Amino acid sequence: MLPRPAGFSQEPGEPFVLSADTVIAAPAPLLRAAGWLREVLRPVTGLPLPPGPPGDHAIEFTLAADLGPESYRLAVRTATVLVEAGDAAGAFYAAQTLRQLLPPAAFRRGSIGETGWTLPPVTIEDRPRYGWRGVLIDVARHFLPKNDLLRYVDLLAAHKLNVLHLHLTDDQGWRVEIKGLPRLTEVGAWRRESPLGARQHGVFDGRPHGGYYTQDDLREIVAYAADRFVTVVPEIELPGHAQAAIAAYPELGNTRRPLEVATRWGVSCNVVNAEDSTLDFYRTVFDQVMEIFPGRYVCVGGDECPKEQWKRSPSAQRRIRELGLRDEDELHAWFVRQIGEHLAARGRKLLAWDEILEGGLPPGATVAAWRGGAGAITAARAGHDVVTSPFDRLYLDFRQAEGGDEPVPIGSVTTLRDVHAFEPVPAGLEEEHAGRVLGSQAALWTEHIDSPRALDYMAFPRLPAFAEVMWSPPGGDFDDFRTRLGHHEPRLAALGVEYRKDTGPEPWQTRPDVRGWPKERATVDAQIDAWTSTLVAER
C-alpha cells in the first residue's frame, strides 16, 4: 500500500466479497467519504452499493472519539468491513485505502469486465505524520487547463496529500480573473513565445502561450478539492515576479514604460513600485482571491525580488526615508507586511517564501523554506510556522537521473530514493522548535513542463515517495517502498498516469529537440550556501 500505513496486519479467514447485497452505511458526518467510495466503485464493479443500515455484508463507517484528525481504523472480515474514523477526512482516507485493497481495475472509470471483487481480511490503523502534505503546481509558466488540474486533485487525494498550492501569477503569466481589472487576463495571461529549453541557450519556440481561470473555474476547483479534503492555497506574487501584472498595468512599475509579459525564464528585474496606489491595487486583488479561496493561508510570494529599480527610483527612496527604513530590504519587508496586515484583518494567514526573513518577518507569517534548511531553522527559532520545500530535494522539475535521455534535464539529480529519504525537519533544528514545521510540499515548477503528459513524467513516481514521507511513520525502508511501488504502478497505469519507469523514459517521453541545463549537486549546494550566508551568520 502507498503510503505505508502506521499499522497493518493480515488476518486469517476468507475475504470480503463485494456483491449486489453490499451496502455502504455511514452517519451524516461521514456521508461524503461513503459517497465518494460509492461513486468510484459503481462504474467499475457494476454493483449498486446503495446506502443502507449496518449489518451483514455492509461496509460501515463510524466515528471513533479516540482517533485524531485524519486518522482511521479499518477491519476487513468475511461478513463486514468496519471503518472507524476520527473525522470526515479520516473516513475519506480509509476509503482510499479500501480502493487500494481492490484490484488495479478499481482505479479505472468504467468496467473492463473484471469480476470477483474482494477485499482481503486485514486490520489497519493509520494516521498522518504531518498535517501539511502539499504539492505546488506552477500554472503561471505553463497553463494547466481546468480539467487537467481537477485530475491532479484526484491524484493528490489518492496519495493522501491534502494541500494544493497554486502558483497563479509570475513574470510569464497571470492566471486568475480579477473583476474590474480586465487587463490582467486580457494582457497578462498571454505571452508571445516561450524559451525552448533552458534560458542560456537563447532558443525560442515562436508560439503564443496563455490561458487563465475564471473566478467560477477556481470556485469549481476549490469545491472539487474540498470534497476530497484538499485545501487549495493561492499564490499571487509580489513585489517581484510581477512583470505580467506590470505589462497589464504599467503604473504598477517603477519606470512606467510599456512592457510585455516576460518571454524568458528566470527572474525579471521589473518589480512593482511601493506607492499607496499599488498597495491598494493588490488589496483589491487579494479581496477577490480571498472570496474565491476560503482556506486559512494565502501565499504572497515575496521571493527573488531584485532591488535595483528601487535603488534608482526617487519614489522608492522617498518612501524609505519617510518610513525611517534602513534600506531596500526593509522596504521589501514593509511592503509584504502591508499585505499581511490586510490578510490578517480578514482572518487569513500570510504564507511567503523564505526571502521575507531578510528584512524582518511580518508578525504571524508562515515561511515556505525553499533555500535549504537555513530559512526553516531561522523562522522556527523565531517562533514562526514553517513549511519546508527545499529545492535540492523536493523540486520535481529537477532531472531524475544522469544521462541524456531525461527530458529537458535541469538542476541536480533528484532520484526516487532521494525523495523517499527526505526529512521534513531540517538537520540542526532543535526538538523544542521542530513542532513549528507544519509539514512540507513538493514543487512542480513548469518552465520546462509544458503539457499534462510531461507533468505526469516529472511527478510520478516521485510524488508517491513524497506522500509516504509525509504520511507514514519515519524510518521507512526504500527497498520495501520500491516493492510496494511495483504493486502501485498498475494503479497509476489504470488512472492513465504516464509515470517514469525504473528503466527510464519511453521514447515519447524524451525531448531530444530541447536542451536543458544540468548541474552537479555540489554546484547546487554552493548556490544554497551563497543565498543563505546572511541567515546563517545571523544565527
Side-chain angles (χ1 to χ4, degrees):
M1 294 180 58
L2 285 176
R4 173 173 52 91
F8 177 93
S9 62
Q10 192 83 37
E11 303 295 341
E14 296 299 314
F16 178 91
V17 180
L18 274 69
S19 71
D21 297 327
T22 303
V23 300
I24 300 179
L30 307 185
L31 285 176
R32 199 183 334 172
W36 176 87
L37 186 63
R38 185 179 299 112
E39 176 186 319
V40 296
L41 293 186
R42 270 178 172 171
V44 296
T45 64
L47 299 172
L49 304 175
D56 287 345
H57 225 67
I59 299 174
E60 180 185 356
F61 289 83
T62 66
L63 283 168
D66 63 319
L67 292 176
E70 301 185 291
S71 302
Y72 67 91
R73 280 191 296 263
L74 173 60
V76 179
R77 300 296 182 264
T78 303
T80 61
V81 176
L82 177 62
V83 175
E84 298 176 283
D87 58 7
F92 178 74
Y93 296 131
Q96 292 285 1
T97 297
L98 283 171
R99 193 185 191 189
Q100 285 196 28
L101 290 171
L102 291 167
F107 287 78
R108 296 186 179 272
R109 295 189 180 184
S111 173
I112 59 173
E114 185 157 337
T115 59
W117 296 93
T118 63
L119 293 166
V122 295
T123 299
I124 296 172
E125 184 158 350
D126 209 3
R127 69 194 67 85
R129 183 181 177 194
Y130 287 97
W132 187 299
R133 307 181 300 279
V135 176
L136 178 147
I137 298 182
D138 169 20
V139 297
R141 272 50 173 268
H142 276 104
F143 180 68
L144 190 65
K146 182 192 71 175
N147 286 342
D148 295 304
L149 195 53
L150 293 174
R151 171 178 173 263
Y152 256 78
V153 169
D154 281 324
L155 290 174
L156 300 191
H159 293 86
K160 300 184 174 73
L161 297 165
N162 66 348
V163 176
L164 172 60
H165 180 153
L166 277 186
H167 186 77
L168 289 164
T169 72
D170 214 293
D171 297 314
Q172 296 83 13
W174 183 285
R175 307 294 179 214
V176 52
E177 175 192 25
I178 300 297
K179 305 290 188 182
L181 297 170
R183 288 178 60 82
L184 285 173
T185 47
E186 291 172 358
V187 174
W190 310 93
R191 62 176 180 264
R192 60 180 172 83
E193 63 180 358
S194 306
L196 192 64
R199 63 181 181 268
Q200 83 272 27
H201 304 307
V203 179
F204 293 82
D205 62 9
R207 296 177 57 195
H209 177 81
Y212 67 91
Y213 306 105
T214 68
Q215 292 196 1
D216 283 344
D217 288 338
L218 291 168
R219 290 187 183 96
E220 178 186 354
I221 291 164
V222 167
Y224 188 88
D227 282 343
R228 289 148 181 81
F229 298 91
V230 174
T231 299
V232 184
V233 175
E235 179 175 357
I236 305 295
E237 278 274 13
L238 59 83
H241 284 293
Q243 186 166 324
I246 300 169
Y249 293 96
E251 62 269 26
L252 298 174
N254 291 279
T255 68
R256 304 301 171 102
R257 73 174 189 271
L259 295 171
E260 66 174 349
V261 175
T263 59
R264 294 179 177 271
W265 307 138
V267 180
S268 169
C269 65
N270 294 295
V271 304
V272 300
N273 61 50
E275 299 286 349
D276 289 338
S277 57
T278 296
L279 284 165
D280 287 341
F281 177 96
Y282 276 101
R283 290 183 183 110
T284 297
V285 169
F286 279 107
D287 282 345
Q288 294 189 37
V289 167
M290 285 186 284
E291 191 276 325
I292 299 166
F293 297 91
R296 184 184 183 194
Y297 292 89
V298 177
C299 186
V300 304
D303 59 308
E304 296 180 323
C305 179
K307 311 298 195 308
E308 286 75 14
Q309 287 188 346
W310 284 352
K311 291 176 181 178
R312 297 193 301 267
S313 165
S315 172
Q317 293 303 309
R318 183 173 61 252
R319 178 71 90 179
I320 288 172
R321 291 192 300 271
E322 289 172 352
L323 295 171
L325 303 177
R326 182 182 58 195
D327 55 19
E328 291 76 20
D329 284 343
E330 289 195 354
L331 180 63
H332 176 275
W334 173 83
F335 192 102
V336 172
R337 188 163 60 251
Q338 304 313 300
I339 301 300
E341 290 173 356
H342 186 75
L343 299 177
R346 286 149 183 80
R348 305 302 180 88
K349 196 168 179 64
L350 179 145
L351 172 71
W353 299 100
D354 59 33
E355 283 90 337
I356 64 170
L357 289 159
E358 293 166 3
L361 274 171
T366 297
V367 174
W370 71 280
R371 299 177 300 172
I377 292 171
T378 301
R381 287 177 178 171
H384 287 258
D385 289 340
V386 175
V387 176
T388 54
S389 186
F391 90 123
D392 58 328
R393 299 291 178 183
L394 293 184
Y395 276 25
L396 302 187
D397 53 325
F398 277 25
R399 58 195 171 123
Q400 303 186 60
E402 300 283 1
D405 286 344
E406 292 300 315
V408 200
I410 64 166
S412 55
V413 174
T414 301
T415 66
L416 183 67
R417 183 185 291 269
D418 291 333
V419 175
H420 192 262
F422 170 71
E423 277 300 318
V425 176
L429 183 61
E430 301 84 358
E431 186 176 351
E432 63 190 282
H433 302 301
R436 285 290 181 179
V437 177
L438 304 178
S440 300
Q441 61 186 32
L444 287 156
W445 299 102
T446 62
E447 288 94 336
H448 308 293
I449 302 175
D450 61 359
S451 71
R453 298 181 81 180
L455 193 67
D456 278 6
Y457 178 86
M458 300 308 291
F460 290 92
R462 291 186 294 183
L463 206 57
F466 169 73
E468 177 146 314
V469 171
M470 301 313 301
W471 178 274
S472 303
D477 177 75
F478 179 74
D479 291 335
D480 173 65
F481 166 78
R482 194 67 192 84
T483 297
R484 287 180 287 110
L485 181 62
H487 297 289
H488 190 64
E489 286 172 342
R491 302 177 192 129
L492 296 178
L495 287 165
V497 176
E498 296 192 23
Y499 61 91
R500 183 190 188 276
K501 295 183 178 178
D502 194 44
T503 52
E506 299 288 0
W508 59 86
Q509 293 172 323
T510 64
R511 289 297 304 270
D513 59 320
V514 180
R515 297 169 66 191
W517 190 4
K519 298 180 181 179
E520 297 301 321
R521 176 55 62 87
T523 302
V524 171
D525 290 344
Q527 183 67 74
I528 294 173
D529 290 343
W531 281 336
T532 59
S533 58
T534 302
L535 296 178
V536 173
E538 289 177 352
R539 290 211 313 267

